[in-house]
Amino acid sequence: MSVATAASRQPQTAAETDPQTLGWMQGFPPPQDKTITFQDGSFRSFPELRWAWSNVRQLVPTVNVWRGPGPASVLPREDHDIGASASVTMDGRPITFARMLEETYADGIAVLHRGRLIYERYFGALKPHKPHIAMSVTKSFTGTLAGILVAEGKIDPQAPIIEYVPELKASAFGDARVHEAMDMTTGLQYTEVYTDKNSDVWGLRRANGMAPIPEGYQGATTIFDFLCAQKKQGEHGKAFAYKTVNSDVLAWICRRASGMTLSDLLSERIWTPMGAEEDAHYHVDRVGTESGGGGLSTTLRDLARFGETIRNHGRFNGRQIAPAAVVEDIARGGDVEKFKPAGYTTLPGASYRNQWWVSHNAHGAYMARGVHGQGIYIDPKAELVIARYASHPMAGNAANDPVTLPAYMALAKDLIAGG
Amino acid sequence: MSVATAASRQPQTAAETDPQTLGWMQGFPPPQDKTITFQDGSFRSFPELRWAWSNVRQLVPTVNVWRGPGPASVLPREDHDIGASASVTMDGRPITFARMLEETYADGIAVLHRGRLIYERYFGALKPHKPHIAMSVTKSFTGTLAGILVAEGKIDPQAPIIEYVPELKASAFGDARVHEAMDMTTGLQYTEVYTDKNSDVWGLRRANGMAPIPEGYQGATTIFDFLCAQKKQGEHGKAFAYKTVNSDVLAWICRRASGMTLSDLLSERIWTPMGAEEDAHYHVDRVGTESGGGGLSTTLRDLARFGETIRNHGRFNGRQIAPAAVVEDIARGGDVEKFKPAGYTTLPGASYRNQWWVSHNAHGAYMARGVHGQGIYIDPKAELVIARYASHPMAGNAANDPVTLPAYMALAKDLIAGG
């Protein structure tokens, strides 16, 4: 643990925790108090994670998502400095777009307006060609792939999950249907409290390879084993509850339905046709299974390309990558009533549909969201896509939303007004 | 361990151990007896390694060697089926080039004649876009990078090693010079016997991340710590002794002299200007240090590009990548008298120079060589480059050489005769 972390209780600012300035992992070897390892768990501490989220591959095993042999697709550039775009945070503070980025520990931001890259900035340890972990934005890739397989008739959303994965028979998913995993309306004992080391999400992280396994650990050490051990609580289909195991179950269904690994499926269906600039990668568990709930790393520009593909009803790089119906179904959103009881105060009136968050706001915006501030924000009315990687000290997006969401809406209005 | 391995003492043939046919790591999850993991050490067993050497990234942490943003350089293709090229093995058996590949468990072979790709074949788990581990062929990259830094005046081969790495003062390298690490003429206690699990090379593998660390292990868990613990035996500069720690020391010197990680240095000096087709990667230890002695993985075509760069006196893709003098110094070879006592019966009259093996045969051929049959073979007279990845059951190249080396010479003669 760093001296800086120990010295203060208040999280330090983005400038104070810049990994480059602090000298994390610099030198051969880096000084001991500037060394970040997987084994000692320091990669998950703040400010160490500001380096780690841009260097996941160096910490854990991964599998490549090949970009194919072709050239990268063109992202037309039309610089427009939106840094001064003004908004008011949910707690009433005036703030600029640039200051919002700083306050929310952005590692990079790419803004597309009508398909043109108008604003692109990198901070911290991120560089244009380096992949950054997308955390739960990964889920929206899994959902989109599942949607494509549904459109192809390879997955039936109404079918029981065990039709694809009989191994889940004795688990909580034994009597659930595919669409309940897609929309996270399964009834599960599993808890996802990032700040509680006893919460089940930490068991999932040990199983999927993103947390060290203590000596003598008796829990599951693979994703599939972890999923098979999940217990039911309550009823399926009644209410939205954000639980990552649903995404990993959906990823398992995608593999069985396609006969492909998740990485090959993403490469073939999206990464290659989209003309990604760089290979992406998933971190994998001990038997090579990708974390479909949080393990994807991509470059920022490729995240923006994916966002633009979705905004364009699945069309990008001169081809239809996902059927328009798949995207329209997501944009239309899920059941607002089932979402309400979850109590997301920063997302009033929202819903969750096929691994995407749908705001149902005046612009019909919808989002892919991941812990520590990862996100894709799509505003159809403003023809706006915001791709963002970050290393916020807090995992939960409740720490980001009050500052980021008003800034996104203000920018959208500026762009509409500006024509 | 697989049933196949347990069932027979005689290594099975390449066809019998094809990882695809055997179903290694296929299915979600793969069946238990077809699962290969890092933790249980199975990735190092035969035939499991036939899958593992093409999937290192899925087993251990790695760091990327970026290919840069430009297009891949063109490898002009002129198909010429040399599979029937005939030779006689060192023990007197007639054999064809194609049969030689099978007998030596080739995963892939790319043959360049006068810069044209005349023959390219893939077997086992390898595919054109997938990186395969180069094992000690990695050393020849380290040596070439060191040579470039020497030419730039950033490394003085006559200087004491501790001028660059003072941390090595109390180690065997404390009174050695840079050129002694380059040419592997240091006097060290360290042993490198692949078949003996008590040999020091296994300690190096635990330290560099390519062997699991048993509970309670007291040895070094990083490359740098392992190097600092090496003890002297005999005198420096007297005789060649193939010991991987020299390459890791040389890599450490390169980092200090350039101020760059080995991966960034390789990306900037070779991978990007060469127009590599895919990113390469190194496996890394627990603090992110690349294995400069054996950790590089590349695609077969990129290995061929590098070989052609060297054959062309450092020139490739329209630019001078390494100074011609660096390559000519390697091709000229090292001290044959210092090499002789090492007793390589398959390499009579050879020498070792700056991490390359020089045959001093009639064609002036020289090589990069790695365990389990990895290699680059450069025949200047025949204007021939052979890049080869393999997964031979035996680590030592004494198992390959009697079959491969005569086949390479016969092919060279065929090509010269064919004009």
Side-chain angles (χ1 to χ4, degrees):
Chain A
M1 183 157 302
S2 75
V3 175
T5 316
S8 67
R9 298 196 179 278
Q10 190 71 3
Q12 297 175 288
T13 66
E16 285 166 350
T17 57
D18 182 281
Q20 210 64 29
T21 314
L22 289 181
W24 285 109
M25 293 300 274
Q26 287 171 32
F28 317 107
Q32 206 153 11
D33 66 340
K34 297 292 182 188
T35 297
I36 297 167
T37 77
F38 174 77
Q39 285 78 13
D40 70 6
S42 55
F43 74 110
R44 282 200 166 275
S45 303
F46 186 86
E48 288 90 329
L49 61 81
R50 300 218 59 202
W51 177 87
W53 294 168
S54 294
N55 290 283
V56 166
R57 219 161 199 176
Q58 192 164 325
L59 295 162
V60 293
T62 55
V63 65
N64 224 44
V65 177
W66 190 40
R67 58 172 294 283
S73 57
V74 175
L75 265 189
R77 191 178 281 273
E78 193 176 296
D79 280 348
H80 175 180
D81 190 350
I82 56 168
S85 169
S87 60
V88 177
T89 66
M90 288 185 191
D91 54 359
R93 288 181 301 120
I95 196 168
T96 62
F97 197 87
R99 174 72 197 141
M100 172 277 290
L101 295 175
E102 213 181 311
E103 234 182 61
T104 54
Y105 302 83
D107 291 330
I109 188 113
V111 178
L112 294 177
H113 182 222
R114 296 180 179 153
R116 290 172 185 277
L117 185 60
I118 62 170
Y119 190 75
E120 184 189 22
R121 297 288 186 278
Y122 294 88
F123 311 95
L126 193 58
K127 291 189 165 57
H129 71 277
K130 283 189 77 169
H132 186 291
I133 190 160
M135 297 296 183
S136 293
V137 170
T138 306
K139 294 178 172 68
S140 306
F141 284 87
T142 303
T144 306
L145 289 170
I148 293 172
L149 294 174
V150 168
E152 291 174 4
K154 294 194 172 120
I155 294 178
D156 173 4
Q158 299 305 324
I161 287 170
I162 54 168
E163 225 175 72
Y164 304 94
V165 188
E167 291 93 328
L168 287 168
K169 187 154 182 47
S171 80
F173 300 99
D175 62 347
R177 296 183 178 274
V178 173
H179 70 89
E180 291 159 345
M182 287 174 112
D183 296 345
M184 294 221 195
T185 59
T186 49
L188 305 171
Q189 274 185 24
Y190 171 97
T191 60
E192 183 142 341
V193 183
Y194 306 115
T195 49
D196 176 5
K197 290 263 178 171
N198 294 316
S199 176
D200 296 317
V201 66
W202 285 93
L204 176 58
R205 286 172 178 173
R206 288 187 197 102
N208 75 24
M210 269 296 269
I213 292 185
E215 273 186 35
Y217 184 67
Q218 296 294 319
T221 57
T222 73
I223 294 173
F224 294 147
D225 284 350
F226 189 85
L227 297 178
C228 289
Q230 293 313 301
K231 297 207 170 10
K232 192 172 172 182
Q233 184 173 293
E235 278 182 78
H236 299 316
K238 294 295 177 197
F240 166 74
Y242 185 79
K243 302 189 173 189
T244 295
V245 284
N246 288 294
S247 315
D248 282 307
V249 164
L250 188 59
W252 201 349
I253 294 167
C254 288
R255 294 180 185 102
R256 284 281 166 82
S258 66
M260 295 173 78
T261 63
L262 196 62
S263 38
D264 283 346
L265 187 63
L266 179 56
S267 169
E268 183 184 293
R269 301 307 176 90
I270 298 178
W271 228 241
T272 301
M274 187 179 85
E277 208 164 300
E278 300 289 340
D279 293 346
H281 58 82
Y282 286 97
H283 68 75
V284 292
D285 71 8
R286 294 168 165 226
V287 298
T289 308
E290 307 94 340
S291 162
L296 186 66
S297 288
T298 79
T299 66
L300 183 64
R301 281 187 203 143
D302 287 334
L303 190 70
R305 280 182 174 89
F306 177 66
E308 181 65 9
T309 303
I310 300 301
R311 187 190 74 79
N312 267 323
H313 307 270
R315 199 172 169 78
F316 190 76
N317 196 26
R319 65 207 77 178
Q320 194 72 33
I321 293 166
V326 171
V327 176
E328 282 150 15
D329 172 72
I330 289 165
R332 205 177 299 127
D335 190 322
V336 175
E337 289 310 310
K338 285 181 184 169
F339 186 88
K340 203 177 283 173
Y344 286 82
T345 53
T346 60
L347 299 171
S351 73
Y352 192 82
R353 175 66 188 134
N354 193 16
Q355 313 283 307
W356 288 79
W357 303 78
V358 184
S359 76
H360 299 282
N361 70 11
H363 290 188
Y366 54 104
M367 299 166 263
R369 292 156 61 89
V371 288
H372 299 286
Q374 324 313 325
I376 305 173
Y377 184 90
I378 299 175
D379 183 322
K381 189 167 180 203
E383 300 167 277
L384 167 69
V385 171
I386 301 173
R388 165 197 159 92
Y389 280 135
S391 46
H392 197 288
M394 314 294 285
N397 272 307
N400 276 305
D401 287 346
V403 188
T404 52
L405 294 182
Y408 296 169
M409 181 50 99
L411 173 63
K413 287 180 178 163
D414 287 355
L415 292 173
I416 291 169
Chain B
M1 181 160 305
S2 74
V3 176
T5 317
S8 68
R9 301 199 174 276
Q10 189 72 4
Q12 297 175 288
T13 65
E16 286 166 351
T17 57
D18 182 281
Q20 210 65 29
T21 315
L22 289 182
W24 286 110
M25 293 300 272
Q26 288 171 33
F28 316 109
Q32 207 154 10
D33 67 339
K34 297 293 182 185
T35 297
I36 298 167
T37 78
F38 174 76
Q39 285 79 11
D40 70 5
S42 55
F43 74 110
R44 283 200 165 277
S45 302
F46 185 86
E48 289 90 328
L49 62 81
R50 300 216 62 201
W51 177 88
W53 294 168
S54 293
N55 290 284
V56 167
R57 219 161 199 176
Q58 194 166 324
L59 295 163
V60 293
T62 54
V63 64
N64 224 44
V65 176
W66 190 40
R67 58 173 295 283
S73 57
V74 175
L75 264 189
R77 190 178 282 271
E78 193 175 297
D79 279 348
H80 176 178
D81 190 351
I82 55 167
S85 169
S87 60
V88 177
T89 67
M90 287 185 191
D91 55 358
R93 286 183 300 120
I95 197 168
T96 62
F97 197 86
R99 175 72 197 141
M100 172 276 290
L101 294 175
E102 211 180 312
E103 234 182 60
T104 55
Y105 302 83
D107 291 329
I109 188 112
V111 178
L112 295 176
H113 182 222
R114 295 178 180 155
R116 288 170 187 277
L117 185 61
I118 61 169
Y119 191 74
E120 184 188 23
R121 296 289 186 278
Y122 294 87
F123 312 94
L126 193 58
K127 291 189 165 60
H129 70 277
K130 283 190 77 168
H132 186 291
I133 190 161
M135 297 294 184
S136 293
V137 170
T138 306
K139 294 177 171 69
S140 305
F141 285 87
T142 303
T144 305
L145 289 170
I148 293 172
L149 295 172
V150 167
E152 290 174 5
K154 293 193 173 121
I155 294 177
D156 173 4
Q158 298 306 322
I161 286 171
I162 54 169
E163 226 176 71
Y164 304 93
V165 189
E167 290 93 330
L168 288 168
K169 190 157 181 42
S171 80
F173 301 98
D175 61 347
R177 296 182 179 273
V178 173
H179 70 87
E180 290 159 346
M182 290 173 109
D183 296 346
M184 296 222 194
T185 60
T186 49
L188 305 171
Q189 274 185 23
Y190 171 98
T191 60
E192 183 142 342
V193 183
Y194 307 114
T195 49
D196 175 6
K197 290 262 177 169
N198 294 314
S199 176
D200 296 317
V201 67
W202 285 94
L204 175 59
R205 286 172 177 173
R206 288 186 196 103
N208 75 24
M210 269 295 269
I213 292 184
E215 271 185 37
Y217 184 67
Q218 295 294 317
T221 57
T222 73
I223 294 172
F224 293 149
D225 284 350
F226 189 85
L227 297 178
C228 288
Q230 293 313 301
K231 296 205 168 15
K232 192 172 173 183
Q233 186 173 291
E235 279 182 75
H236 299 317
K238 295 296 179 194
F240 165 73
Y242 185 78
K243 299 185 175 193
T244 294
V245 283
N246 288 294
S247 315
D248 282 307
V249 163
L250 188 60
W252 200 349
I253 293 167
C254 288
R255 295 180 184 101
R256 284 280 166 82
S258 66
M260 295 172 79
T261 62
L262 196 61
S263 38
D264 283 345
L265 186 64
L266 179 56
S267 169
E268 182 184 292
R269 302 308 177 88
I270 298 179
W271 228 241
T272 302
M274 187 178 85
E277 208 164 300
E278 300 290 339
D279 293 345
H281 59 82
Y282 286 97
H283 69 75
V284 293
D285 70 9
R286 295 170 164 224
V287 298
T289 308
E290 306 93 341
S291 162
L296 187 67
S297 287
T298 80
T299 66
L300 183 63
R301 280 187 203 142
D302 287 334
L303 191 71
R305 281 182 173 89
F306 177 66
E308 182 64 11
T309 303
I310 300 300
R311 186 190 73 80
N312 267 323
H313 307 271
R315 201 172 169 79
F316 190 75
N317 196 25
R319 63 208 77 177
Q320 194 71 34
I321 292 166
V326 171
V327 177
E328 282 151 14
D329 172 72
I330 290 165
R332 205 178 298 126
D335 189 323
V336 176
E337 289 308 312
K338 286 181 183 168
F339 185 87
K340 201 176 287 174
Y344 286 81
T345 53
T346 59
L347 300 171
S351 73
Y352 192 83
R353 174 67 188 133
N354 192 19
Q355 313 283 308
W356 288 80
W357 303 78
V358 184
S359 75
H360 299 283
N361 69 10
H363 291 188
Y366 54 104
M367 298 166 263
R369 292 157 61 88
V371 287
H372 299 286
Q374 325 313 326
I376 306 173
Y377 184 90
I378 300 175
D379 184 322
K381 190 167 177 202
E383 301 166 277
L384 167 69
V385 171
I386 301 172
R388 167 196 158 90
Y389 280 135
S391 45
H392 197 289
M394 313 294 285
N397 272 307
N400 276 305
D401 288 345
V403 187
T404 53
L405 295 183
Y408 296 169
M409 182 51 101
L411 173 62
K413 286 180 179 164
D414 286 356
L415 292 172
I416 290 170

